[in-house]
Amino acid sequence: MNHLLHLDRTLDELDPPRWTLPAADATRLVRTVHELRRVRLGELGPADLRTLVAQRVALPYVLPLAVRRLLDEPLIDAYFYEGDLLLTVVGAPAADWALLPDLSARLCAVVTALPEAAVAGLPHGGAEALGHFVARPEPLR
């Protein structure tokens, strides 16, 4: 988790170029993502991570932070429902996971250890999303 060494830095610092301020008529989501890029990584909460992963922003930096949270509490309720961060993270593109094979393997182990009842309690399609993540072929190193 080398990217975790930068917890005192922001995505604007680590993932150039710095983003300009959003347009005056930007949506709340766009304004939020722009604001989150200026927050130190160590200060990002589960809801912030869910938003950044869902919007595919700086995933080489954000995925390690999200996985670190999920290793401790896989079904954390980040914003919408129990397990929402997990389902968002496993939905990240395979190409981004290919850059983080160790993290992918650690998260797969967490997912496969989830109780069947917990997985069944996820929203429609949740169990399938977890199954697809675990069944993905390992990237070539």
Side-chain angles (χ1 to χ4, degrees), residues 16-104:
R18 289 179 185 265
W19 288 13
T20 60
L21 293 175
D25 62 345
T27 65
R28 185 172 133 216
L29 177 60
V30 168
R31 288 192 311 273
T32 297
V33 171
H34 277 256
E35 290 168 11
L36 291 174
R37 285 189 53 90
R38 296 189 304 270
V39 174
R40 283 190 213 113
L41 296 184
E43 296 173 5
L44 293 171
D48 303 329
L49 295 170
R50 189 204 58 75
T51 298
L52 290 166
V53 173
Q55 296 305 307
R56 312 282 198 257
V57 175
L59 291 181
Y61 296 98
V62 178
L63 281 175
L65 293 171
V67 170
R68 184 174 75 165
R69 294 278 178 136
L70 293 168
L71 294 176
D72 292 333
E73 191 177 350
L75 296 175
I76 189 170
D77 180 343
Y79 191 77
F80 293 113
Y81 52 84
E82 195 172 272
D84 59 349
L85 178 59
L86 177 61
L87 291 179
T88 301
V89 166
V90 300
D96 290 296
W97 283 111
L99 300 173
L100 305 163
D102 295 338
L103 286 178
S104 177

